[in-house]
Amino acid sequence: MDLKVYVLDGGRLVTEDASIFSADGNYRGEHWDMANPCYLVVHPLGRLMWDCGFEDSLADLPSGYNSGRSIWSLPKKLAQQLSEMSIDPQDIDYFTLSHSHLDHSGNANLFRGSTWIVDEAERDFMFRADARQSKEFKNYDALERAQVRTFTSDHDVFGDGSVVILRTPGHTPGHAALLVNLPQSGPVIFTGDLWYTCRCRTTRNIPSNNTDRRQTFESMARIEDLARELGARIIIQHERADWESMPRYPEYLR
Ligand SMILES: [Zn+2]
């Protein structure tokens, strides 16, 4: 069986003032409409879920939720999307997040039966005292009792180099990207929130809420170098054009 990547819908973010995506004051008053996908990697040795979108209860709000800065919405619950693929969350062997922000970790507790693969720095960040007081803590609190595999450098998930988690800290302390070496598409790197859109990749603007600006620039440079070296395609997860270009179930990235 060949390696496959299925694309799932983790919601939308629409803002009328994108200035939050730049600490340098760009994007003021701009309308941005962003995707929020998550991905299911199917490998002969197991299934890996990469990110899990906004929490499913968001789909119960027909006009979405106004966070004050943007409108979040979810067209279809992730549990429902998996069920339409005849997949029970219990059948997901490995679960990992690009990072723990609520648009990526909303349904993490669905995967409490999986082995959670996480950068030690991100795990500490998620379970620090003030994170435990946050509204979104309940979305992922069960991971504290999940089977866990932690890493402190890049992590080769299946041990054959086909699916590798790349440390790219800066947006959060343990932010990560995912390299998948697909049989037909070749190497593809899913970059989490290293960049929000293609434009951010060109301008190298970073949001004001990143935990470490210097680390973010180093991570960006690292992924640019690696992509060049491997000839890899970069998928910017919130970028609408990248989302539109992806196959939908029952099709998959091959
Ligand atoms: Zn995000």
Side-chain angles (χ1 to χ4, degrees), residues 161-202:
S162 64
V163 182
V164 182
I165 300 170
L166 305 167
R167 285 201 78 230
T168 45
H171 186 57
T172 61
H175 182 279
L178 185 71
L179 167 66
V180 184
N181 283 297
L182 285 160
Q184 286 183 29
S185 309
V188 176
I189 304 175
F190 300 92
T191 56
D193 285 8
L194 187 59
W195 301 283
Y196 274 88
T197 64
C198 288
R199 209 163 127 222
C200 302
R201 187 177 166 197
T202 316

Side-chain angles (χ1 to χ4, degrees), residues 31-32 50 69 94 115 147 160 165 191 195 217 226:
H31 166 88
W32 281 19
W50 175 257
R69 286 174 159 172
Y94 304 100
T115 296
Q147 262 199 37
D160 59 1
I165 300 170
T191 56
W195 301 283
F217 285 126
L226 185 68

